[in-house]
Amino acid sequence: MRLATFNVNGIRAAIRRGLATWLTTSRPDILALQEVRCPVDALPEDAFGGYRAAYHPGDLPGRNGVAVLTRTEPEAIRLGTGSREFDHEGRYVEVDLPGLTVGSLYLPKGGTPYGDEALVAKYERKLRFCRHFARYLTTARRRAAREGREFCVMGDWNIAPTAQDVANARTKHRSEGFLPAEREWIDAVIGPRRLVDVVRHLRPDEQGPYSWWSWRGRSWDSDAGWRIDLQLATPRLAAAARCGGTDRSPSYDRRISDHAPVVVDYEWEST
């Protein structure tokens, strides 16, 4: 079973840049998408490549939007996490499949506790989302276990968990996505008896592999990126992972998005 997560930074732009070709080549069984950024009635024909799509577009024009694409019809679909503050934004969708529950997450980018009021407000809002989402993860994981399912939440977490997950970490401690409170939060989410960071489990000693690089400057050429797109899975599912990492484009001009897909192959059959 191949699971992939991909922040496409706009589904229409991603299609123009070759998303359909990537889907045909990579052939994930389950694909989580983030930043789809498109209302349902404006989706291009066959936007999701023939997959069954559980899509939460949200109501913010040109922003957010998450989906889980599957080869078979899900047994159940849940939009959002029960948050009155965040659910309308299109940041989380979850599906039940035989033996497996899969979620797609787009966590707020946030701000910093330093600087102007707008940045501080974004930082505090991100932490509110994180606190709520941690509680939801516990609920979702336990619900899946009661129903005999493993659980995997994939997506753009907008947090690099450790110094292995960002280039030049010593210069990033005041940057959004690598702030102490953010890393403390995700460290509490990840654990050997809760949810396992699957790519880090497979590649424990590697720097990266990064999944996001700025469009600007030479960060792509020098591989000065961030590993912020993660697959977190329950321990039994994570133990079935055989290989995985970032499907990095061969060149800058062939990038589909500023993110790259994170793909993991599991020795597991969900259907």
Side-chain angles (χ1 to χ4, degrees):
M1 178 180 68
R2 174 167 287 180
L3 268 58
T5 183
F6 195 2
N7 180 323
V8 293
N9 199 9
I11 189 72
R12 287 168 286 193
I15 289 171
R16 291 195 300 270
R17 293 179 180 132
L19 177 62
T21 299
W22 178 82
L23 278 172
T24 300
T25 302
S26 184
R27 296 185 56 81
D29 297 293
I30 302 169
L31 173 61
L33 297 178
Q34 302 83 42
E35 287 201 270
V36 178
R37 294 183 177 181
C38 190
V40 172
D41 58 5
L43 285 167
E45 185 177 353
D46 201 26
F48 298 129
Y51 286 82
R52 310 293 177 90
Y55 180 35
H56 185 8
D59 61 6
L60 301 178
R63 296 175 59 190
N64 306 339
V66 289
V68 178
L69 311 187
T70 59
R71 296 193 180 278
T72 57
E73 194 72 34
E75 296 177 348
I77 299 171
R78 288 176 288 277
L79 306 183
T81 60
S83 167
R84 286 183 291 180
E85 181 176 6
F86 297 105
D87 276 358
H88 71 98
E89 295 183 357
R91 293 192 176 275
Y92 187 77
V93 61
E94 184 178 284
V95 304
D96 289 339
L97 300 164
L100 180 64
T101 294
V102 177
S104 177
L105 167 71
Y106 179 48
L107 197 141
K109 184 178 180 181
T112 72
Y114 328 105
D116 62 32
E117 291 183 4
L119 283 175
V120 173
K122 289 179 179 179
Y123 168 75
E124 292 175 346
R125 191 171 192 270
K126 181 176 186 176
L127 293 186
R128 286 200 304 276
F129 182 96
C130 288
R131 287 191 292 269
H132 167 79
F133 192 63
R135 293 191 294 271
Y136 178 81
L137 281 177
T138 299
T139 299
R141 178 170 52 82
R142 290 175 176 172
R143 176 175 57 225
R146 286 196 305 271
E147 296 174 355
R149 293 183 171 92
E150 297 301 315
F151 179 63
C152 182
V153 57
M154 304 187 284
D156 179 358
W157 293 72
N158 267 315
I159 299 172
T162 72
Q164 284 180 270
D165 303 309
V166 59
N168 305 313
R170 286 179 293 180
T171 67
K172 301 294 196 303
H173 289 281
R174 292 173 64 89
S175 300
E176 61 193 31
F178 198 61
L179 296 167
E182 295 171 326
R183 288 183 287 124
E184 181 180 350
W185 174 80
I186 201 165
D187 186 59
V189 168
I190 297 169
R193 301 175 72 177
R194 297 185 299 276
L195 292 171
V196 176
D197 181 347
V198 178
V199 171
R200 181 57 65 220
H201 169 71
L202 290 169
R203 307 167 84 154
D205 302 319
E206 183 174 338
Q207 183 68 28
Y210 305 132
S211 63
W212 177 86
W213 304 261
S214 173
W215 286 115
R216 301 185 299 272
R218 301 188 60 83
S219 62
W220 169 265
D221 295 332
S222 60
D223 197 21
W226 295 62
R227 192 177 76 92
I228 55 176
D229 301 270
L230 310 175
Q231 296 193 24
L232 303 190
T234 42
R236 185 164 173 257
L237 179 59
R242 294 295 173 260
C243 61
T246 300
D247 190 0
R248 191 173 190 263
S249 299
S251 64
Y252 178 92
D253 60 358
R254 292 174 63 182
R255 299 172 72 184
I256 296 171
S257 167
D258 53 350
H259 295 252
V262 174
V263 184
V264 177
D265 289 339
Y266 298 83
E267 196 171 293
W268 182 276
E269 293 186 12
S270 67
T271 58

